[in-house]
Amino acid sequence: MRGVLFDGEQSQVVDDLEIRDPGPGEVLVAVAAAGLCHSDLSVIDGTIPFPVPVVLGHEGAGVVQAVGSGVTHVAPGDHVALSTLANCGACAECDRGRPTMCRKAIGMPGRPFSRAGEPVYQFASNSAFAERTVVKAVQAVRIPQDVPLTSAALIGCGVLTGVGAVLNRAKVAIGESVVVIGTGGIGLNVIQGARIAGASVIVAVDTNPAKEPLARQFGATHFLASSDGVREILPGGADHAFECVGHPALVRAAIDLLDRHGQAILLGMTAPTVEASFLPAALFLDKSILGCRYGSSRPQYDIPRYCELYRTGALLLDELVTRTYPVEDFAKAAEDLHEGRVARGVLTF
């Protein structure tokens, strides 16, 4: 079986992976498409520490091949989008509708794969860069078969994180103002989440001018190469500022751009030891700094909702897919992502 393996020193496409059968409460999925996200590259460069060897990928969609005992909500042949959220469904946080806070969903990687008889870790409880993967039943969300799998693959991370951060965490209201720093895959989904929420001003900030047309297509009303110009558009500051890059100076910029009662929502992934500074006095006018894990999502609820928004034309998915690559071209896909040439590149099997 083919897949993208990182051994701690290099990533490579291998063809000798094996995967076990699904156990109770698990689903075996034949992956059709998987989006390449900066989080995958962050494992390779060490920003996200993860045990190795590991099969990468965490944003995918495919077709159910088999289910373990007790699984009733999906069946072989169903199309599914994959979530990274392997929450237990039974703890206090899950019961309160906060599955992203489930402690059993974080930090306990399984090893359903093997290579040459040695176990191989699964990234983000998902590992979508493989021809087949085994996930917990809660991670397999049935989707309509008329949603292309190359587009549906992007729901499981970029859309859930970006759109979810707007609708679930920040709760942007009609007529409010939004600044989005960084217009990669996450930033574009924040932009369209703000548009769907009814924001009146959506300022996209990115140093790459080539990203302006796509940012405007997704809903940006303004595009700037630097956050320095935001105050000319919003003299009082923004109601919401989303940092989608993961740079400490941009975290500070997001906070400094807020109006009274404003919220800075941090989505970009920094290294675990990186520190950011800000002026505490800047928060005394009821300003807030919000962390946000996975768009505060409830995947079994949100993914079907986003599919319906896609079918009505409100949510853009096809437009996110800049290019598709056969899995053997992983190195080229990673290079294009690193150089900012794509909104999302999608690996296909």
Side-chain angles (χ1 to χ4, degrees), residues 135-184:
V135 297
K136 290 184 65 173
V138 71
Q139 295 176 256
V141 184
R142 188 171 58 222
I143 60 174
Q145 296 204 6
D146 60 355
V147 178
L149 290 172
T150 50
S151 298
L154 305 185
I155 300 176
C157 177
V159 176
L160 280 176
T161 299
V163 177
V166 174
L167 302 182
N168 299 331
R169 185 66 168 130
K171 294 181 169 56
V172 173
I174 293 173
E176 291 187 325
S177 58
V178 171
V179 174
V180 183
I181 302 175
T183 61

Short mmCIF file of all heavy atoms in Angstrom, two decimals, residues 135-184:
data_model
loop_
_atom_site.label_atom_id
_atom_site.label_comp_id
_atom_site.label_asym_id
_atom_site.label_seq_id
_atom_site.Cartn_x
_atom_site.Cartn_y
_atom_site.Cartn_z
N VAL A 135 -9.90 4.78 11.05
CA VAL A 135 -10.22 5.88 11.97
C VAL A 135 -11.32 5.44 12.92
O VAL A 135 -12.02 4.46 12.68
CB VAL A 135 -10.68 7.14 11.21
CG1 VAL A 135 -9.56 7.67 10.31
CG2 VAL A 135 -11.92 6.86 10.38
N LYS A 136 -11.45 6.18 14.02
CA LYS A 136 -12.59 5.95 14.90
C LYS A 136 -13.87 6.32 14.16
O LYS A 136 -13.88 7.23 13.31
CB LYS A 136 -12.45 6.78 16.17
CG LYS A 136 -11.36 6.31 17.12
CD LYS A 136 -11.33 7.12 18.39
CE LYS A 136 -12.60 6.93 19.22
NZ LYS A 136 -12.50 7.59 20.54
N ALA A 137 -14.95 5.65 14.51
CA ALA A 137 -16.21 5.86 13.81
C ALA A 137 -16.63 7.32 13.82
O ALA A 137 -17.15 7.84 12.82
CB ALA A 137 -17.31 4.99 14.41
N VAL A 138 -16.37 8.01 14.92
CA VAL A 138 -16.79 9.41 15.03
C VAL A 138 -16.06 10.30 14.03
O VAL A 138 -16.54 11.39 13.70
CB VAL A 138 -16.57 9.91 16.48
CG1 VAL A 138 -15.09 10.09 16.79
CG2 VAL A 138 -17.33 11.19 16.74
N GLN A 139 -14.91 9.84 13.51
CA GLN A 139 -14.14 10.65 12.57
C GLN A 139 -14.62 10.54 11.14
O GLN A 139 -14.23 11.34 10.29
CB GLN A 139 -12.66 10.24 12.62
CG GLN A 139 -11.98 10.50 13.94
CD GLN A 139 -10.56 9.97 13.92
OE1 GLN A 139 -10.26 8.94 14.49
NE2 GLN A 139 -9.68 10.66 13.22
N ALA A 140 -15.41 9.53 10.83
CA ALA A 140 -15.90 9.33 9.48
C ALA A 140 -17.29 9.94 9.37
O ALA A 140 -18.25 9.45 9.97
CB ALA A 140 -15.95 7.84 9.14
N VAL A 141 -17.39 11.03 8.62
CA VAL A 141 -18.65 11.77 8.52
C VAL A 141 -19.21 11.57 7.11
O VAL A 141 -18.58 11.97 6.12
CB VAL A 141 -18.44 13.26 8.81
CG1 VAL A 141 -19.79 13.99 8.80
CG2 VAL A 141 -17.74 13.46 10.14
N ARG A 142 -20.38 10.98 7.04
CA ARG A 142 -20.99 10.72 5.73
C ARG A 142 -21.34 12.03 5.03
O ARG A 142 -21.87 12.94 5.64
CB ARG A 142 -22.23 9.85 5.88
CG ARG A 142 -22.81 9.39 4.53
CD ARG A 142 -23.90 8.36 4.72
NE ARG A 142 -24.98 8.87 5.55
CZ ARG A 142 -25.58 8.17 6.51
NH1 ARG A 142 -25.20 6.94 6.77
NH2 ARG A 142 -26.57 8.70 7.21
N ILE A 143 -21.05 12.08 3.73
CA ILE A 143 -21.32 13.27 2.93
C ILE A 143 -22.09 12.87 1.68
O ILE A 143 -22.06 11.70 1.27
CB ILE A 143 -20.02 14.00 2.54
CG1 ILE A 143 -19.12 13.08 1.70
CG2 ILE A 143 -19.28 14.50 3.77
CD1 ILE A 143 -17.89 13.76 1.14
N PRO A 144 -22.80 13.81 1.06
CA PRO A 144 -23.51 13.49 -0.18
C PRO A 144 -22.55 13.06 -1.28
O PRO A 144 -21.45 13.60 -1.41
CB PRO A 144 -24.21 14.82 -0.54
CG PRO A 144 -24.27 15.59 0.73
CD PRO A 144 -23.04 15.21 1.49
N GLN A 145 -22.98 12.12 -2.11
CA GLN A 145 -22.09 11.60 -3.14
C GLN A 145 -21.90 12.58 -4.29
O GLN A 145 -21.03 12.36 -5.14
CB GLN A 145 -22.61 10.25 -3.64
CG GLN A 145 -22.59 9.19 -2.56
CD GLN A 145 -22.53 7.76 -3.10
OE1 GLN A 145 -22.38 7.55 -4.29
NE2 GLN A 145 -22.64 6.80 -2.20
N ASP A 146 -22.67 13.67 -4.34
CA ASP A 146 -22.46 14.65 -5.40
C ASP A 146 -21.43 15.72 -5.02
O ASP A 146 -21.16 16.63 -5.81
CB ASP A 146 -23.78 15.30 -5.82
CG ASP A 146 -24.47 16.04 -4.68
OD1 ASP A 146 -23.97 15.98 -3.53
OD2 ASP A 146 -25.51 16.67 -4.92
N VAL A 147 -20.84 15.62 -3.82
CA VAL A 147 -19.75 16.52 -3.44
C VAL A 147 -18.45 15.86 -3.86
O VAL A 147 -18.11 14.78 -3.38
CB VAL A 147 -19.74 16.78 -1.92
CG1 VAL A 147 -18.57 17.68 -1.54
CG2 VAL A 147 -21.06 17.39 -1.47
N PRO A 148 -17.70 16.45 -4.81
CA PRO A 148 -16.47 15.82 -5.29
C PRO A 148 -15.50 15.53 -4.14
O PRO A 148 -15.29 16.39 -3.28
CB PRO A 148 -15.89 16.85 -6.27
CG PRO A 148 -17.04 17.72 -6.64
CD PRO A 148 -17.94 17.76 -5.45
N LEU A 149 -14.91 14.35 -4.16
CA LEU A 149 -14.04 13.96 -3.05
C LEU A 149 -12.79 14.82 -3.00
O LEU A 149 -12.25 15.06 -1.91
CB LEU A 149 -13.69 12.48 -3.16
CG LEU A 149 -14.86 11.52 -2.88
CD1 LEU A 149 -14.48 10.09 -3.18
CD2 LEU A 149 -15.35 11.65 -1.45
N THR A 150 -12.32 15.32 -4.15
CA THR A 150 -11.15 16.20 -4.13
C THR A 150 -11.45 17.51 -3.41
O THR A 150 -10.56 18.13 -2.84
CB THR A 150 -10.66 16.50 -5.56
OG1 THR A 150 -11.77 16.92 -6.36
CG2 THR A 150 -10.01 15.28 -6.17
N SER A 151 -12.69 17.94 -3.44
CA SER A 151 -13.10 19.15 -2.72
C SER A 151 -13.49 18.82 -1.29
O SER A 151 -13.15 19.54 -0.34
CB SER A 151 -14.26 19.83 -3.44
OG SER A 151 -13.90 20.23 -4.73
N ALA A 152 -14.21 17.72 -1.11
CA ALA A 152 -14.65 17.32 0.23
C ALA A 152 -13.47 17.06 1.16
O ALA A 152 -13.57 17.25 2.38
CB ALA A 152 -15.52 16.06 0.14
N ALA A 153 -12.32 16.65 0.58
CA ALA A 153 -11.15 16.38 1.41
C ALA A 153 -10.75 17.59 2.24
O ALA A 153 -10.24 17.45 3.36
CB ALA A 153 -9.99 15.96 0.51
N LEU A 154 -11.00 18.79 1.71
CA LEU A 154 -10.54 20.00 2.38
C LEU A 154 -11.42 20.40 3.56
O LEU A 154 -11.02 21.24 4.37
CB LEU A 154 -10.46 21.15 1.37
CG LEU A 154 -9.61 20.87 0.13
CD1 LEU A 154 -9.52 22.11 -0.74
CD2 LEU A 154 -8.23 20.40 0.52
N ILE A 155 -12.59 19.81 3.66
CA ILE A 155 -13.48 20.18 4.76
C ILE A 155 -12.86 19.77 6.10
O ILE A 155 -12.94 20.49 7.08
CB ILE A 155 -14.87 19.53 4.60
CG1 ILE A 155 -15.52 19.98 3.30
CG2 ILE A 155 -15.77 19.87 5.79
CD1 ILE A 155 -16.86 19.30 3.02
N GLY A 156 -12.19 18.60 6.11
CA GLY A 156 -11.77 18.00 7.37
C GLY A 156 -10.73 18.74 8.15
O GLY A 156 -10.49 18.44 9.31
N CYS A 157 -10.06 19.74 7.55
CA CYS A 157 -9.13 20.56 8.32
C CYS A 157 -9.32 22.03 8.00
O CYS A 157 -9.75 22.80 8.82
CB CYS A 157 -7.68 20.15 8.07
SG CYS A 157 -6.49 21.21 8.93
N GLY A 158 -8.99 22.43 6.76
CA GLY A 158 -9.00 23.84 6.41
C GLY A 158 -10.33 24.52 6.62
O GLY A 158 -10.42 25.62 7.17
N VAL A 159 -11.41 23.85 6.18
CA VAL A 159 -12.74 24.45 6.30
C VAL A 159 -13.22 24.42 7.74
O VAL A 159 -13.71 25.42 8.28
CB VAL A 159 -13.74 23.75 5.36
CG1 VAL A 159 -15.15 24.30 5.56
CG2 VAL A 159 -13.32 23.93 3.90
N LEU A 160 -13.08 23.27 8.39
CA LEU A 160 -13.50 23.19 9.79
C LEU A 160 -12.75 24.21 10.65
O LEU A 160 -13.34 24.85 11.53
CB LEU A 160 -13.25 21.79 10.34
CG LEU A 160 -14.27 20.70 9.99
CD1 LEU A 160 -13.82 19.35 10.54
CD2 LEU A 160 -15.66 21.03 10.52
N THR A 161 -11.46 24.37 10.40
CA THR A 161 -10.67 25.29 11.21
C THR A 161 -11.00 26.75 10.90
O THR A 161 -11.25 27.54 11.82
CB THR A 161 -9.17 25.04 10.97
OG1 THR A 161 -8.85 23.71 11.37
CG2 THR A 161 -8.33 26.01 11.78
N GLY A 162 -10.99 27.12 9.62
CA GLY A 162 -11.18 28.52 9.25
C GLY A 162 -12.60 29.00 9.41
O GLY A 162 -12.88 29.99 10.11
N VAL A 163 -13.54 28.32 8.77
CA VAL A 163 -14.94 28.72 8.87
C VAL A 163 -15.43 28.54 10.31
O VAL A 163 -16.15 29.38 10.86
CB VAL A 163 -15.81 27.92 7.89
CG1 VAL A 163 -17.28 28.29 8.05
CG2 VAL A 163 -15.37 28.16 6.45
N GLY A 164 -15.00 27.43 10.93
CA GLY A 164 -15.41 27.19 12.31
C GLY A 164 -14.92 28.24 13.28
O GLY A 164 -15.63 28.62 14.22
N ALA A 165 -13.70 28.75 13.06
CA ALA A 165 -13.18 29.79 13.94
C ALA A 165 -14.06 31.03 13.90
O ALA A 165 -14.25 31.72 14.91
CB ALA A 165 -11.76 30.15 13.54
N VAL A 166 -14.62 31.32 12.73
CA VAL A 166 -15.50 32.49 12.58
C VAL A 166 -16.86 32.24 13.21
O VAL A 166 -17.36 33.06 14.00
CB VAL A 166 -15.66 32.83 11.08
CG1 VAL A 166 -16.69 33.95 10.91
CG2 VAL A 166 -14.33 33.23 10.47
N LEU A 167 -17.48 31.12 12.86
CA LEU A 167 -18.86 30.87 13.27
C LEU A 167 -18.97 30.33 14.69
O LEU A 167 -19.89 30.69 15.43
CB LEU A 167 -19.52 29.89 12.30
CG LEU A 167 -19.55 30.31 10.82
CD1 LEU A 167 -20.28 29.26 9.99
CD2 LEU A 167 -20.20 31.67 10.65
N ASN A 168 -18.03 29.47 15.09
CA ASN A 168 -18.15 28.80 16.39
C ASN A 168 -17.40 29.50 17.51
O ASN A 168 -17.88 29.57 18.63
CB ASN A 168 -17.62 27.35 16.29
CG ASN A 168 -18.39 26.51 15.31
OD1 ASN A 168 -19.58 26.73 15.08
ND2 ASN A 168 -17.73 25.54 14.72
N ARG A 169 -16.19 29.98 17.22
CA ARG A 169 -15.35 30.55 18.27
C ARG A 169 -15.54 32.06 18.38
O ARG A 169 -15.90 32.57 19.43
CB ARG A 169 -13.89 30.22 18.00
CG ARG A 169 -12.93 30.67 19.11
CD ARG A 169 -13.17 29.90 20.38
NE ARG A 169 -12.08 30.13 21.34
CZ ARG A 169 -12.28 30.49 22.61
NH1 ARG A 169 -13.52 30.68 23.06
NH2 ARG A 169 -11.26 30.64 23.42
N ALA A 170 -15.30 32.79 17.29
CA ALA A 170 -15.43 34.25 17.35
C ALA A 170 -16.89 34.70 17.33
O ALA A 170 -17.23 35.75 17.85
CB ALA A 170 -14.68 34.88 16.18
N LYS A 171 -17.74 33.88 16.69
CA LYS A 171 -19.16 34.22 16.55
C LYS A 171 -19.33 35.62 15.94
O LYS A 171 -20.02 36.49 16.46
CB LYS A 171 -19.89 34.12 17.90
CG LYS A 171 -19.96 32.69 18.44
CD LYS A 171 -20.71 32.64 19.75
CE LYS A 171 -21.03 31.21 20.17
NZ LYS A 171 -19.87 30.32 20.26
N VAL A 172 -18.69 35.79 14.79
CA VAL A 172 -18.79 37.06 14.06
C VAL A 172 -20.25 37.34 13.71
O VAL A 172 -20.98 36.45 13.26
CB VAL A 172 -17.94 37.01 12.78
CG1 VAL A 172 -18.16 38.25 11.92
CG2 VAL A 172 -16.46 36.86 13.14
N ALA A 173 -20.68 38.57 13.94
CA ALA A 173 -22.08 38.95 13.72
C ALA A 173 -22.21 39.81 12.46
O ALA A 173 -21.24 40.39 11.95
CB ALA A 173 -22.61 39.72 14.92
N ILE A 174 -23.43 39.90 11.98
CA ILE A 174 -23.73 40.69 10.78
C ILE A 174 -23.28 42.14 10.99
O ILE A 174 -23.54 42.75 12.03
CB ILE A 174 -25.25 40.65 10.48
CG1 ILE A 174 -25.66 39.24 10.07
CG2 ILE A 174 -25.62 41.65 9.39
CD1 ILE A 174 -27.16 39.06 9.92
N GLY A 175 -22.57 42.66 10.00
CA GLY A 175 -22.16 44.05 10.03
C GLY A 175 -20.85 44.32 10.73
O GLY A 175 -20.36 45.46 10.72
N GLU A 176 -20.22 43.30 11.34
CA GLU A 176 -18.96 43.52 12.04
C GLU A 176 -17.79 43.54 11.06
O GLU A 176 -17.91 43.18 9.90
CB GLU A 176 -18.77 42.45 13.12
CG GLU A 176 -19.77 42.59 14.27
CD GLU A 176 -19.48 41.66 15.42
OE1 GLU A 176 -19.03 40.51 15.17
OE2 GLU A 176 -19.74 42.06 16.58
N SER A 177 -16.63 43.98 11.58
CA SER A 177 -15.43 44.08 10.76
C SER A 177 -14.44 42.99 11.14
O SER A 177 -14.31 42.62 12.30
CB SER A 177 -14.78 45.46 10.93
OG SER A 177 -14.46 45.71 12.29
N VAL A 178 -13.73 42.48 10.11
CA VAL A 178 -12.82 41.36 10.29
C VAL A 178 -11.52 41.65 9.55
O VAL A 178 -11.53 42.12 8.41
CB VAL A 178 -13.45 40.06 9.74
CG1 VAL A 178 -12.43 38.92 9.72
CG2 VAL A 178 -14.67 39.67 10.56
N VAL A 179 -10.40 41.37 10.20
CA VAL A 179 -9.09 41.41 9.57
C VAL A 179 -8.53 39.99 9.59
O VAL A 179 -8.58 39.31 10.61
CB VAL A 179 -8.12 42.36 10.30
CG1 VAL A 179 -6.71 42.26 9.71
CG2 VAL A 179 -8.63 43.79 10.22
N VAL A 180 -8.02 39.54 8.45
CA VAL A 180 -7.46 38.20 8.32
C VAL A 180 -6.01 38.33 7.89
O VAL A 180 -5.72 38.79 6.78
CB VAL A 180 -8.24 37.35 7.29
CG1 VAL A 180 -7.68 35.94 7.22
CG2 VAL A 180 -9.72 37.34 7.63
N ILE A 181 -5.10 37.95 8.77
CA ILE A 181 -3.66 38.04 8.49
C ILE A 181 -3.18 36.69 8.01
O ILE A 181 -3.13 35.72 8.77
CB ILE A 181 -2.88 38.49 9.74
CG1 ILE A 181 -3.41 39.83 10.25
CG2 ILE A 181 -1.40 38.56 9.45
CD1 ILE A 181 -2.78 40.29 11.55
N GLY A 182 -2.85 36.63 6.71
CA GLY A 182 -2.43 35.38 6.09
C GLY A 182 -3.57 34.77 5.29
O GLY A 182 -4.62 34.46 5.86
N THR A 183 -3.38 34.61 3.99
CA THR A 183 -4.47 34.15 3.14
C THR A 183 -4.14 32.82 2.46
O THR A 183 -4.40 32.62 1.28
CB THR A 183 -4.85 35.20 2.08
OG1 THR A 183 -3.72 35.46 1.24
CG2 THR A 183 -5.30 36.48 2.74
N GLY A 184 -3.53 31.92 3.23
CA GLY A 184 -3.36 30.55 2.76
C GLY A 184 -4.68 29.80 2.91
O GLY A 184 -5.76 30.40 2.96
#
